[in-house]
């Protein structure tokens, strides 16, 4: 190290934690899964443009989406679905599952 120069700290090798809230584009994509069967997230925007890999990757890393299945016709397309965390950041809390043996009103079945 040269005299008179302070040592420069090394950059961290660990990745930054995922953001607490999605960007507007990420949130728009995640919200599209709210009304789909199984929370399926679209591969394309309504105007026909492809959802960018960066948007998908960021949502996967944050835990808002998860890979669902492989598309054998287009293996480079990642089909994803919304997670409970994804629903939460969209402002939609997943419905609680009915406990076995109870009615919709919460009474025990006879």
């Amino acid at each position: 190290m040269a005299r008179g120069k302070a040592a420069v700290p090394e950059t961290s090798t660990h990745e930054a934690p995922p953001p607490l809230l999605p960007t507007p584009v990420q949130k728009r994509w995640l919200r599209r899964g709210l009304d789909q069967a199984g929370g399926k997230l679209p591969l394309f925007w309504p105007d026909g443009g492809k959802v960018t890999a960066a948007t998908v990757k960021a949502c996967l890393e944050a835990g808002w989406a998860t890979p669902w299945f492989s598309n054998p016709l287009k293996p480079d397309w990642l089909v994803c679905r919304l997670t409970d965390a994804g629903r939460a950041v969209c402002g939609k809390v997943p419905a609680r599952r009915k406990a076995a043996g109870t009615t919709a009103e919460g009474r025990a079945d006879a």
Side-chain angles (χ1 to χ4, degrees), residues 9 13-14 18-19 21 25 37 42 58 61 64-66 78 100-101:
T13 56
H14 69 281
L21 295 173
V25 171
E61 289 175 353
W64 302 322
T66 187
L78 185 57

Side-chain angles (χ1 to χ4, degrees), residues 76-96:
D76 56 324
W77 287 3
L78 185 57
V79 180
C80 297
R81 65 181 172 90
L82 201 55
T83 63
D84 288 345
R87 284 182 176 81
V89 296
C90 288
K92 192 116 177 193
V93 180
R96 293 183 184 255

Side-chain angles (χ1 to χ4, degrees), residues 5 12 16-18 20 30 35-36 39 46 49 57 66 68 95-96 104 106:
K5 296 219 177 195
S12 175
L20 299 176
L30 293 169
D35 297 328
Q36 298 300 313
K57 183 179 177 191
T66 187
W68 199 355
R96 293 183 184 255

Side-chain angles (χ1 to χ4, degrees), residues 25-26 28-30 32 42-52 55:
V25 171
Q26 292 166 349
R28 190 175 69 170
W29 182 60
L30 293 169
R32 295 199 52 216
L43 298 171
F44 297 93
W45 295 109
D47 67 2
K50 191 171 190 304
V51 175
T52 65
T55 297

